[in-house]
Amino acid sequence: MSTSSLPTLPAAPAPGRPDVAARLREALIGASFTADGLLELLGAPAYAALARSETVPALRATREDSPLAVLVRLFLLQQPVPYARVADVVPVDACLESGWLVRVGSDEVAATVDVRPYGGPCGEDWFIVSDLGCAVGGAGGIGSRDEGVVLGVGGASTTLAGLTVRTPVASALDLGTGSGIQALHAVQHATRVTATDLNPRALHITALTLALSGAPAADLREGSLFEPLKQDETYDLIVSNPPFVISPGARLTYRDGGMGGDDLCRSVVQGAGELLNEGGFAQFLANWQHVEGEDWQDRLRSWVPRGCDAWVVQREVQDVTQYAELWLRDAGDHRGDPAEYQALYDAWLDEFEARKVRAVGFGWITLRRTGSAVPSVTVEEWPHPVEQPLGDTVRAHFERLDYLRAHDDAALLAAHFRLAPEIIQEQVGLPGAEDPEHVVLRQHRGMRRATKVDTVGAGFAGVCDGSLSAGRILDAIAQLMGEDPVMLRDRTPAQIRLLVEQGFLEPA
């Protein structure tokens, strides 16, 4: 989110002209100004360089005078382009009148906002609007010059979008909408979408993102986080990529929490619980402190609101020096006065030392409102590669929790299971050994987990095709191994539960 003080930013286009947005959208798509079109024009190296804020390869690739090259220079690279050439590609006079473009020099025009092509999950051609200089490589240090900017799509935005459960719902809430990427996704499967932001400019930009993407409008409300909501409003889905950076003060409010430590993330998570309808999901990206003498997992468990299941995944941990350097560079402070940079660095370390913070974790938090008397809270560290999008994986995780809660050991043994798709078995041991030291089951989808199993677990999983109950399979394994079937039935349900919980086995 951003502040409402925007003295140096240019005027953004008027969202009240949907006809112009529709005509501009048609022109952009007609010229292949799309995610696929950009990749084809620029090539993979130049396309990847844009994410690093390096524009020279893209400028070289757009020296030709094709309609697509003109649009890339104009909207993505923010280069002035001759009026006559732009008029051949887009409705230039309408764009000038409504504020998408401005005249510069004697015969050139320039864009007033970044426009970045963005491919939707089903191949849709969408466009993310942001402030100038914020679509290529993120902020690129622009925050050091003006904290009121509205950033474009970045890695955190796409991570959250990929995590979000995409089932049809009646209502969705996007807290701190920024440039509107989460709202854009939400309007595709939610009847009513509310988006809030402290910065009225961000709401303006979100309206442009939705209009230029040909998406339905959202209910846009100015205010911090939950403040703009009515007292009785509840939602089936809440998403937020909040200003989670733990910093001294709130110098850059599009990224800095402005509360002490990780209090902002905690308050967002705790506040979402009472706004969720039964079965509803709330999904966030967040930072959290690793405090001396405190288990970080216990800290996160304390955030979970009553009446909610939770799944917290820590994806990365940085020590306080790495963390401070990362965000000082994000703001461009390393390029300024060395003495000022050192003073800022000292301030970050002073803040962490005062709070006894030794490291900062980053990850995902998902809540689901549940009617269970004993909610499930899973907090884990998983720094390994995953397969995005993960929305279906997240939804399936909570469905498995419901299943396991409803089945005691006797019911589990009477149930039928199937091995989940794309599970492979690895046997680890010395070359030539008669038996493996251990067996590993490994997923090639979703979270891509791996888990050790014993001989019984491997044999059980291998024959699960839904035709036999778990109990009958164990009886057959007991007979083959010469074990007591009663004892095998008694000790195996815990292993079956783990395999179901982690997604290796699915109820048939």
Side-chain angles (χ1 to χ4, degrees):
M1 291 190 302
S2 307
T3 64
S4 56
S5 176
L6 304 166
T8 65
L9 297 175
R17 293 291 306 274
D19 58 318
V20 177
R23 291 170 61 192
L24 178 57
R25 170 179 170 78
E26 183 179 357
L28 297 180
I29 293 175
S32 296
F33 186 65
T34 62
D36 290 341
L38 281 185
L39 183 59
E40 183 176 350
L41 172 68
L42 302 180
Y47 192 79
L50 288 176
R52 303 190 299 270
S53 302
E54 297 292 347
T55 59
V56 171
L59 287 168
R60 291 173 61 86
T62 56
R63 287 180 295 191
E64 61 177 276
D65 206 29
S66 70
L68 178 55
V70 167
L71 293 176
V72 172
R73 291 199 303 272
L74 184 66
F75 285 114
L76 199 60
L77 302 178
Q78 286 94 57
Q79 300 294 306
V81 178
Y83 172 96
R85 189 65 194 97
V86 176
D88 291 337
V89 185
V90 302
V92 64
D93 290 332
C95 288
L96 285 166
E97 180 188 356
S98 58
W100 289 95
L101 303 174
V102 292
R103 289 187 178 273
V104 294
S106 58
D107 65 344
E108 292 183 316
V109 296
T112 60
V113 288
D114 275 339
V115 176
R116 174 173 171 175
Y118 177 74
C122 297
E124 303 95 337
D125 289 318
W126 291 343
F127 300 95
I128 307 300
V129 180
S130 62
D131 273 317
L132 294 175
C134 296
V136 174
I142 196 170
S144 64
R145 300 191 298 275
D146 192 327
E147 64 179 29
V149 297
V150 179
L151 301 188
V153 61
S157 302
T158 55
T159 294
L160 179 59
L163 283 172
T164 303
V165 176
R166 301 294 176 193
T167 53
V169 294
S171 57
L173 171 64
D174 177 14
L175 289 173
T177 187
S179 59
I181 179 174
Q182 308 306 329
L184 175 59
H185 278 276
V187 296
Q188 312 302 317
H189 64 99
T191 303
R192 173 176 61 89
V193 174
T194 301
T196 71
D197 205 290
L198 181 64
N199 179 11
R201 186 180 180 87
L203 300 176
H204 189 101
I205 293 288
T206 292
L208 297 176
T209 290
L210 296 174
L212 196 59
S213 298
D219 179 4
L220 306 177
R221 303 185 193 177
E222 182 181 346
S224 179
L225 300 175
F226 302 111
E227 288 177 2
L229 306 183
K230 299 174 185 176
Q231 189 172 1
D232 58 347
E233 284 183 301
T234 57
Y235 297 89
D236 302 307
L237 174 67
I238 299 173
V239 292
S240 184
N241 176 19
F244 54 67
V245 176
I246 301 170
S247 63
R251 187 165 60 99
L252 303 175
T253 53
Y254 68 79
R255 60 157 217 201
D256 299 333
M259 297 184 185
D262 51 17
D263 283 353
L264 184 134
C265 289
R266 175 186 54 78
S267 64
V268 168
V269 174
Q270 291 180 336
E274 63 185 26
L275 297 177
L276 282 177
N277 293 322
E278 188 73 22
F281 286 92
Q283 299 185 261
F284 315 96
L285 299 185
N287 275 179
W288 43 80
Q289 298 173 149
H290 285 229
V291 180
E292 184 179 344
E294 178 186 67
D295 187 322
W296 70 269
Q297 293 181 322
D298 289 342
R299 185 180 191 86
L300 271 295
R301 290 187 184 96
S302 74
W303 290 12
V304 178
R306 294 180 61 184
C308 290
D309 290 328
W311 185 19
V312 181
V313 180
Q314 180 167 272
R315 294 288 290 158
E316 183 180 359
V317 181
Q318 291 184 314
D319 67 48
V320 292
T321 59
Q322 293 173 313
Y323 189 80
E325 291 162 13
L326 169 68
W327 293 110
L328 288 168
R329 283 177 169 79
D330 171 79
D333 293 313
H334 63 300
R335 295 196 294 264
D337 176 46
E340 183 180 354
Y341 174 78
Q342 183 175 343
L344 289 168
Y345 201 151
D346 269 333
W348 282 69
L349 297 186
D350 286 344
E351 178 83 3
F352 286 133
E353 185 176 347
R355 294 180 176 275
K356 299 183 178 180
V357 176
R358 296 293 175 259
V360 177
F362 167 80
W364 320 322
I365 299 175
T366 300
L367 307 177
R368 186 193 59 167
R369 192 77 184 176
T370 177
S372 173
V374 184
S376 169
V377 178
T378 301
V379 183
E380 63 176 322
E381 185 165 19
W382 191 255
H384 312 293
V386 298
E387 182 188 49
Q388 283 275 32
L390 277 169
D392 287 344
T393 299
V394 173
R395 176 184 50 77
H397 168 86
F398 289 94
E399 289 177 349
R400 292 194 298 269
L401 289 182
D402 287 340
Y403 178 87
L404 292 172
R405 272 196 291 242
H407 289 72
D408 60 16
D409 286 357
L412 209 62
L413 292 173
H416 295 235
F417 298 96
R418 285 190 298 264
L419 189 66
E422 297 187 39
I423 303 294
I424 64 170
Q425 176 178 302
E426 300 173 356
Q427 296 189 165
V428 181
L430 293 174
E434 184 176 346
D435 296 311
E437 292 179 15
H438 59 262
V439 177
V440 174
L441 299 181
R442 188 178 300 277
Q443 299 170 346
H444 279 256
R445 297 175 62 181
M447 293 294 286
R448 295 182 176 173
R449 295 188 186 276
T451 189
K452 290 182 182 179
V453 292
D454 60 17
T455 304
V456 172
F460 180 87
V463 298
C464 279
D465 60 5
S467 61
L468 297 175
S469 69
R472 289 188 63 186
I473 293 174
L474 290 178
D475 290 344
I477 292 175
Q479 185 175 5
L480 287 172
M481 298 179 63
E483 289 201 28
D484 182 342
V486 175
M487 293 185 64
L488 193 60
R489 279 174 171 257
D490 186 58
R491 67 179 172 86
T492 306
Q495 189 170 189
I496 296 174
R497 284 187 181 279
L498 180 64
L499 293 174
V500 172
E501 180 182 344
Q502 294 189 342
F504 291 93
L505 294 177
E506 299 175 346

